């Protein structure tokens, strides 16, 4: 199939081709194999394709600096598509960890597999099947992302393929450790001084989100375009603060977001016990008694709308929401400064700034 001239449509076509090949490869394995394959396809569908967009933008920033921009090559499209599959794997595992019922307005993967178990009339515990199936689904998606990346960069120049592969591997390691630190912080916060909570939450945001959502996709695309050390440094210095601002915006939406827009219940991060910068800032401003009450409530999955509204009001009244908004603005300015004077394509720099604004001012 001839790639679409629209980059994100071209990535979608690359994903469709890959998934069709997986369906063919597993066709003789029976209906249960078909179930997990189709669950994988569903997990990748939808979303903003943010990582693919930044990967392509990183490639363009370097390619345009070298001369008239060429057509998007298959190695780039494969890498961008692989990032979307890896992101889906992270979301599947994240929803198991957080016991989330929904994702993008649909049942999360473990809930969908649980429903399939019930619909088929199988024996055993449907919930246990859904969780186990989703763990394996996430693993399958990670394997698929590797398969697609390696197939795509097989024809790339060896130095570029090696550089992209190294960035991809770093991304996988960082986000896995970051996810564990996020889980650990929900318990470890009690043993840490209150004035360290915000810095620890920022550490989680960097590893779990900023690097893998923005910075590493940029650098993977740039590596495939043959970026030099200066170009990689500029894009990295831009991508990390954008990624931090992106995660801080996500933290705000996790507490105050509109469920009809985000696809997840309002206040879900509070029910899940997320120890974000937003929560850390709120706790810093509370006396011991109210702080203890907040700690009792955050992480309770049975919080009702009244309790969620009370926590939201507390976070606003302490000034924590305003402080996080200021931090987002600071990170956005830091990112913008990183592009000044960089040897990158002029049009691509404009695209990067547009993407940064979209990532940090979004409502979903």
């Amino acid at each position: 199939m001839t790639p679409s001239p629209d980059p994100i449509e071209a990535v979608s076509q690359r994903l469709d081709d890959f998934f069709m090949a997986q369906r063919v490869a597993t066709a003789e394995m029976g209906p249960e194999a078909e179930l997990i394959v189709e669950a994988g396809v569903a997990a990748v569908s939808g979303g903003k394709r943010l990582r693919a967009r930044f990967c392509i933008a990183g490639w363009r920033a370097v390619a345009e600096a070298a001369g008239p921009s060429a057509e998007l090559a298959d190695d780039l499209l494969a890498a961008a598509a692989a990032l979307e599959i890896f992101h889906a794997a992270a979301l599947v595992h994240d929803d198991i960890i957080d016991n989330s019922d929904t994702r993008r307005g649909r049942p999360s993967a473990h809930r969908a597999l649980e429903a399939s178990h019930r619909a088929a009339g199988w024996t055993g515990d449907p919930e246990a099947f859904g969780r186990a199936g989703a763990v394996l689904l996430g693993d399958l998606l990670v394997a698929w992302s590797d398969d697609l990346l390696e197939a795509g960069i097989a024809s790339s120049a060896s130095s570029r393929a090696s550089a992209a592969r190294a960035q991809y591997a770093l991304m996988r390691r960082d986000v896995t450790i970051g996810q564990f630190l996020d889980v650990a912080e929900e318990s470890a916060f009690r043993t840490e001084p209150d004035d360290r909570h915000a810095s620890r939450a920022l550490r989680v945001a960097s590893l779990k989100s900023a690097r893998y959502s923005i910075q590493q996709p940029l650098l993977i695309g740039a590596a495939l375009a043959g970026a030099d050390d200066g170009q990689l440094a500029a894009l990295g210095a831009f991508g990390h603060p954008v990624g931090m601002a992106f995660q801080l915006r996500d933290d705000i939406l996790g507490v105050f977001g509109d469920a009809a827009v985000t696809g997840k219940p309002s206040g879900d991060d509070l029910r899940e016990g997320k120890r974000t910068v937003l929560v850390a800032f709120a706790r810093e401003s509370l006396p011991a008694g109210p702080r203890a009450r907040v700690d009792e409530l955050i992480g309770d999955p049975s919080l009702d709308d009244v309790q969620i509204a009370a926590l939201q009001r507390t976070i606003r009244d302490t000034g924590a929401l305003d402080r996080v908004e200021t931090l987002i603005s600071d990170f956005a300015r830091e990112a913008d400064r990183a592009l000044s004077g960089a040897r990158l394509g002029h049009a691509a720099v404009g695209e990067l700034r547009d993407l940064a604004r979209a990532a940090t001012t979004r409502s979903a």
Side-chain angles (χ1 to χ4, degrees):
M1 181 182 293
T2 301
S4 166
D6 176 74
I8 299 307
E9 179 59 32
V11 170
S12 295
Q13 288 180 5
R14 192 69 177 81
L15 286 168
D16 289 344
D17 292 345
F18 179 81
F19 292 143
M20 185 56 66
Q22 303 313 305
R23 290 184 175 108
V24 171
T26 57
E28 297 181 356
M29 296 181 185
E32 295 80 16
E34 181 183 359
L35 174 62
I36 195 169
V37 169
E38 293 306 323
V41 174
V44 182
S45 66
K48 297 176 284 294
R49 300 288 186 242
L50 183 77
R51 289 146 194 85
R53 293 179 188 276
F54 275 99
C55 182
I56 292 169
W59 180 90
R60 278 184 169 155
V62 174
E64 287 181 5
S69 183
E71 291 184 0
L72 303 181
D74 185 66
D75 61 352
L76 174 67
L77 294 176
L83 284 165
E84 292 300 318
I85 296 177
F86 182 80
H87 178 49
L91 294 181
V92 168
H93 283 160
D94 198 47
D95 286 342
I96 300 168
I97 292 167
D98 295 336
N99 200 30
S100 296
D101 293 332
T102 60
R103 171 65 63 180
R104 294 170 177 166
R106 304 189 304 267
S108 51
H110 62 285
R111 293 303 186 199
L113 288 169
E114 176 187 328
S116 295
H117 180 286
R118 287 196 174 94
W122 291 348
T123 60
D125 182 354
E127 290 189 17
F129 173 84
R131 289 193 299 272
V135 169
L136 296 170
L137 172 61
D139 292 346
L140 176 63
L141 288 164
V142 171
W144 277 358
S145 72
D146 286 349
D147 292 344
L148 182 51
L149 177 73
E150 291 299 331
I153 66 176
S155 59
S156 303
S158 60
S159 60
R160 296 185 181 191
S162 178
R165 189 180 290 113
Q167 294 287 354
Y168 204 87
L170 177 62
M171 174 197 71
R172 289 183 309 182
R173 294 193 299 271
D174 282 353
V175 73
T176 303
I177 292 172
Q179 180 68 277
F180 177 77
L181 293 179
D182 189 31
V183 172
E185 195 63 19
E186 293 174 20
S187 301
F189 82 94
R190 290 190 180 277
T191 65
E192 290 291 325
D194 292 334
D195 60 3
R196 281 175 47 84
H197 287 196
S199 63
R200 289 170 65 87
L202 287 170
R203 177 187 64 166
V204 171
S206 172
L207 288 165
K208 182 186 173 184
S209 184
R211 301 185 194 188
Y212 123 89
S213 295
I214 312 292
Q215 187 181 39
Q216 296 303 141
L218 273 173
L219 296 178
I220 290 165
L224 289 173
D228 60 30
D229 289 345
Q231 291 169 321
L232 289 173
L235 289 170
F238 165 79
H240 189 261
V242 172
M244 293 297 288
F246 170 81
Q247 181 55 46
L248 293 176
R249 177 62 60 200
D250 204 57
D251 292 344
I252 291 174
L253 293 174
V255 173
F256 297 101
D258 182 347
V261 179
T262 65
K264 292 178 75 69
S266 180
D268 225 26
D269 278 7
L270 299 174
R271 294 186 181 93
E272 292 169 5
K274 295 295 184 184
R275 291 287 160 174
T276 63
V277 179
L278 191 64
V279 170
F281 282 167
R283 291 181 77 259
E284 286 178 11
S285 301
L286 289 171
R291 185 189 308 140
R293 177 57 178 157
V294 165
D295 287 339
E296 288 175 5
L297 291 174
I298 292 178
D300 181 352
S302 66
L303 290 178
D304 59 29
D305 290 345
V306 173
Q307 291 170 311
I308 290 293
L311 283 169
Q312 290 171 332
R313 187 165 54 252
T314 296
I315 290 169
R316 283 197 183 94
D317 291 348
T318 60
L321 178 58
D322 290 339
R323 288 180 68 184
V324 173
E325 288 287 3
T326 298
L327 201 51
I328 289 172
S329 298
D330 291 344
F331 278 127
R333 283 192 293 271
E334 179 185 343
D336 195 62
R337 288 194 299 269
L339 294 178
S340 299
R343 194 171 59 80
L344 301 169
H346 180 73
V349 166
E351 180 185 1
L352 286 171
R353 287 182 166 131
D354 288 343
L355 284 172
R357 279 191 292 273
T360 57
T361 61
R362 64 200 168 91
S363 59

